[in-house]
Amino acid sequence: MSTTITESVKPLSQGVSLPVIDPQQYDYDHLKPYVHPPETKKELPWAELVTLDLEDFPRPGGKERLAKQLEHAVHHVGFFYVKNYGLSQEEVDHQFTLAKNFFDLDLEDKTKYELDYANADYNGYRRAGRGKTGPVKDNVEIYNVAKFTKDFEGKYDHPDLLKAHLPEIEAFSRALHSNVVIPLLRLFAIVLQLPDEDYLVKQHSYEKRSEDHFRYMIYHRRTPEEHEASGYGQSTGHTDLGTLTLLFRQPVAGLQILGEDGNWTYVSAQPGTITVNLADTISHLTGGYLKSSVHRVVAPPKDQWQYDRTGLLYFARPHSDTILNPITDSPVLEKAGVKPRFDKPISMGEWVKAKQTLQLNPEISAKKYAESKDGTVEIIGGFRDRKYA
């Protein structure tokens, strides 16, 4: 499957800033390359997930075959893999190299681009240590890059390292949207037996305002003492707030999903794949029928304790003005008898602001959970979220 970018526009600058001095210094020949750590040798309880071959999508009957593969996964599991998604391994490795070199920058250079926590604006740099796993501060750094559209033009600046590669980052992000997100939305429409295969696609066009973003992420390695103090956890169980999350393969084991049987299983690093998980918004739009999967990150096996866990992710979300009511013209949803998950009309923009405020501000989240006393908290419109161990 070749890289296809269906909406061709002039690349946009995301920030009004000075040009990069000597951009050649940021050529890949001058950057320290990212090297994938070795896989664990420990036997772990691995999740059995379906793998979709996207090369089958344009073939006669291909969409129907892929949708059939997805029926169980999207309703009962919420996680699956895709392969042949139209990006070369070199292109993927380049993004991992950018991530590594960004996180290797001095803290003072990264905090120039720190995100706006108070206003729930998550584009930019998120420093480690803002939250806690037990008594231990979190070990997670994040850098989010907004969509390359007019809505965000001139809003965010970037360090020279990334600025030198913005056209490439844009092409990479757009390819993920065109090659993975859009085909999957069409497959979901087939699963739901919608009369219009593009029903969900029309809510997720790239050019219209939405809060999609591309992310570099790192879980820094911990000492044995820190692992013990944290209870060998790195993030609590949670669901993502958008439509889909795309996670590129990285071999440090730690990502777990919560099964319907109440057991946690590990997501393995399958070569040449992207791990896809369904998130809250697609669940809202289907009254909970499509499953927003609960997942968490735990400490890796001891034979991987000496490695950082670096991630590349893409978060897809519908247009900010989308109202998150269940789809009404799906015979599948009608038969399932799904109901709205909010007690009033809620837009995607409102949902993002409400949930992101809690995610970005641990002190607000902790206060609300303490006040609720039942392990849940209202996000907005009567919808209650909860934490998982």
Side-chain angles (χ1 to χ4, degrees):
M1 184 177 180
S2 60
T3 303
T4 56
I5 302 174
T6 58
E7 299 166 270
S8 179
V9 297
K10 182 180 178 180
L12 295 171
S13 169
Q14 287 204 351
V16 178
S17 57
L18 296 174
V20 180
I21 299 174
D22 186 20
Q24 287 75 26
Q25 68 179 302
Y26 300 112
D27 287 350
Y28 290 109
D29 290 344
H30 300 140
L31 298 179
K32 188 172 182 179
Y34 174 80
V35 178
H36 285 287
E39 295 187 18
T40 181
K41 293 181 172 60
K42 184 175 176 60
E43 290 294 326
L44 298 172
W46 299 108
E48 295 184 11
L49 303 179
V50 66
T51 300
L52 299 189
D53 185 351
L54 294 181
E55 278 194 341
D56 199 28
F57 188 87
R59 296 169 181 155
K63 288 182 289 188
E64 290 71 24
R65 287 190 295 272
L66 293 172
K68 193 69 178 175
Q69 276 186 274
L70 269 183
E71 281 182 355
H72 179 82
V74 296
H75 185 40
H76 294 282
V77 183
F79 263 77
F80 56 92
Y81 304 111
V82 297
K83 66 180 182 179
N84 293 320
Y85 44 82
L87 289 164
S88 69
Q89 190 59 50
E90 182 182 46
E91 290 171 301
V92 174
D93 289 344
H94 280 172
Q95 293 303 312
F96 273 107
T97 290
L98 291 179
K100 172 186 171 42
N101 284 266
F102 170 76
F103 291 122
D104 283 348
L105 294 174
D106 292 338
L107 180 61
E108 64 181 24
D109 292 327
K110 292 180 285 192
T111 54
K112 295 174 185 176
Y113 310 95
E114 196 151 12
L115 52 81
D116 185 351
Y117 303 101
N119 290 305
D121 185 346
Y122 41 81
N123 291 309
Y125 173 66
R126 186 265 194 200
R127 67 174 72 198
R130 283 190 54 82
K132 286 187 175 182
T133 307
V136 181
K137 287 187 176 182
D138 74 63
N139 57 337
V140 183
E141 288 184 274
I142 290 170
Y143 193 84
N144 289 332
V145 181
K147 287 205 304 185
F148 293 82
T149 60
K150 289 288 185 182
D151 290 304
F152 301 101
E153 185 176 9
K155 188 173 181 181
Y156 303 104
D157 197 7
H158 303 282
D160 283 354
L161 165 69
L162 300 183
K163 214 181 306 184
H165 292 276
L166 274 185
E168 174 189 346
I169 296 170
E170 175 177 0
F172 194 87
S173 300
R174 285 180 174 270
L176 290 174
H177 189 271
S178 298
N179 296 359
V180 182
V181 174
I182 296 303
L184 290 179
L185 293 174
R186 291 193 170 112
L187 295 180
F188 295 168
I190 295 172
V191 170
L192 296 171
Q193 298 176 22
L194 295 177
D196 182 2
E197 191 180 284
D198 281 346
Y199 184 101
L200 294 167
V201 171
K202 292 173 182 176
Q203 296 176 333
H204 292 78
S205 60
Y206 191 87
E207 293 305 323
K208 188 172 177 179
R209 183 181 178 91
S210 68
E211 304 295 334
D212 299 45
H213 54 284
F214 179 60
R215 172 178 292 180
Y216 302 118
M217 186 173 189
I218 188 168
Y219 288 84
H220 289 286
R221 56 187 174 271
R222 281 177 165 165
T223 65
E225 294 76 18
E226 288 172 329
H227 279 306
E228 183 176 4
S230 69
Y232 301 93
Q234 297 195 47
S235 74
T236 56
H238 63 281
T239 57
D240 293 345
L241 67 82
T243 300
L244 292 171
T245 301
L246 311 183
L247 170 65
F248 278 86
R249 174 193 180 272
Q250 65 77 42
V252 178
L255 176 61
Q256 294 183 330
I257 59 176
L258 182 62
E260 291 184 318
D261 60 1
N263 292 319
W264 293 95
T265 54
Y266 286 82
V267 177
S268 64
Q270 296 293 320
T273 68
I274 296 173
T275 301
V276 181
N277 72 269
L278 278 66
D280 293 342
T281 302
I282 196 66
S283 199
H284 295 330
L285 290 171
T286 59
Y289 186 84
L290 296 188
K291 182 176 182 177
S292 181
S293 183
V294 178
H295 54 283
R296 67 183 183 184
V297 175
V298 299
K302 284 188 176 180
D303 62 356
Q304 293 184 319
W305 277 11
Q306 68 267 44
Y307 302 109
D308 296 329
R309 185 177 187 274
T310 304
L312 299 180
L313 304 95
Y314 183 84
F315 296 86
R317 297 173 176 176
H319 305 147
S320 296
D321 61 4
T322 301
I323 301 300
L324 302 179
N325 287 333
I327 298 165
T328 57
D329 46 2
S330 163
V332 174
L333 299 183
E334 183 179 4
K335 182 178 179 181
V338 303
K339 304 294 183 184
R341 307 178 91 190
F342 301 100
D343 58 19
K344 62 181 180 179
I346 297 295
S347 72
M348 183 60 189
E350 292 171 321
W351 166 251
V352 170
K353 181 72 178 286
K355 184 159 181 174
Q356 201 73 67
T357 295
L358 293 183
Q359 290 180 334
L360 292 179
N361 298 280
E363 69 286 354
I364 296 176
S365 177
K367 181 181 178 182
K368 284 184 174 290
Y369 274 104
E371 291 172 348
S372 75
K373 297 186 170 78
D374 66 355
T376 71
V377 63
E378 181 179 352
I379 302 295
I380 191 173
F383 181 85
R384 303 192 73 81
D385 206 357
R386 61 167 293 187
K387 289 182 178 179
Y388 300 81

